[in-house]
């Protein structure tokens, strides 16, 4: 009976440690993304993220599926729109792990400055909620998909309607 209790305790500890390990990994990536976004550094983004996604990674925005490279192209356009990023944060809202797969819901916020054609500065804001799926491959958690549940953009505090298919920057 003691062996069963000990085995159960070890198994429970491993399950918690696994979830804690994935949450720590996500929190570390969110911290890295804060720096990347603040610097509008697409090359640092690619370097930080490329090794953490599956080969079949899918990104979905406004119902349109994209590859990693297509997502990066959209982000380049988003970074180019902004002259300065003043805030960039991500927060895990929920994380559920089942065996070798996991689902995470994340809230993203990004604020910055953009210039209109007359070189007048405007405050651009983005908030959104995404759902990411993770798959454990060869003992390592990799993101297999990211899909936006909601996205809101503002300019000077007023809602801004994004053209269909426009890339998000966060």
């Amino acid at each position: 009976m003691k062996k069963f209790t000990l085995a159960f305790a070890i198994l429970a500890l491993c399950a918690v440690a696994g979830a804690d390990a994935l949450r720590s990994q996500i929190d570390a990536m969110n911290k890295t993304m804060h720096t990347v976004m603040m610097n509008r550094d697409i090359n640092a983004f690619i370097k930080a993220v490329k090794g953490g996604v599956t080969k079949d990674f899918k990104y979905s925005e406004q119902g349109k599926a994209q590859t990693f490279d297509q997502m990066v192209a959209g982000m380049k356009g988003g970074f180019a729109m902004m002259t300065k990023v003043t805030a960039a944060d991500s927060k895990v809202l929920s994380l559920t792990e089942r065996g070798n797969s996991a689902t995470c819901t994340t809230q993203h916020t990004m604020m910055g400055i953009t210039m209109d054609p007359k070189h007048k500065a405007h405050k651009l804001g983005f908030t959104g909620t995404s759902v990411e799926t993770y798959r454990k491959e060869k003992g390592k958690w990799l993101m297999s998909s990211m899909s936006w549940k909601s996205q809101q953009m503002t300019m000077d505090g007023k809602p801004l309607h994004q053209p269909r298919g426009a890339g998000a920057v966060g």
Side-chain angles (χ1 to χ4, degrees):
M1 189 66 162
K2 284 184 181 181
K3 287 182 182 179
F4 177 74
T5 304
L6 181 58
F8 182 74
I10 290 171
L11 183 61
L13 182 60
C14 288
V16 171
D20 287 346
L22 178 56
R23 182 175 288 273
S24 294
Q25 178 182 326
I26 293 168
D27 288 343
M29 181 56 75
N30 286 343
K31 186 176 180 180
T32 299
M33 287 301 104
H34 168 80
T35 303
V36 166
M37 296 297 180
M38 293 297 291
N39 294 328
R40 299 179 309 133
D41 189 343
I42 198 67
N43 292 325
F45 174 85
I46 294 167
K47 183 179 178 183
V49 175
K50 188 72 171 180
V53 298
T54 59
K55 292 188 186 316
D56 63 345
F57 172 80
K58 292 292 179 216
Y59 174 80
S60 179
E61 183 174 344
Q62 298 178 353
K64 182 181 175 191
Q66 300 176 22
T67 65
F68 180 81
D69 292 337
Q70 290 168 324
M71 176 189 72
V72 168
M75 288 185 68
K76 281 182 187 178
F79 282 160
M81 281 179 26
M82 302 182 87
T83 57
K84 181 179 181 181
V85 175
T86 58
D89 294 298
S90 296
K91 180 174 96 172
V92 173
L93 300 177
S94 66
L95 176 61
T96 305
E97 184 182 333
R98 286 191 178 93
N100 289 331
S101 65
T103 302
C104 181
T105 302
T106 307
Q107 181 179 21
H108 306 268
T109 305
M110 189 170 178
M111 304 294 287
I113 306 297
T114 189
M115 301 295 243
D116 69 16
K118 295 179 182 179
H119 302 287
K120 182 179 177 190
H122 296 276
K123 292 180 182 178
L124 189 63
F126 171 84
T127 58
T129 304
S130 64
V131 175
E132 301 87 27
T133 58
Y134 290 84
R135 190 167 61 225
K136 193 180 275 190
E137 294 183 358
K138 298 179 183 175
K140 183 178 177 185
W141 285 107
L142 301 175
M143 186 185 293
S144 58
S145 71
M146 179 179 184
S147 179
W148 288 98
K149 286 177 49 176
S150 67
Q151 295 177 310
Q152 300 84 35
M153 290 189 79
T154 59
M155 185 173 293
D156 299 327
K158 297 177 184 169
L160 181 68
H161 299 287
Q162 227 179 332
R164 186 150 179 80
V169 289

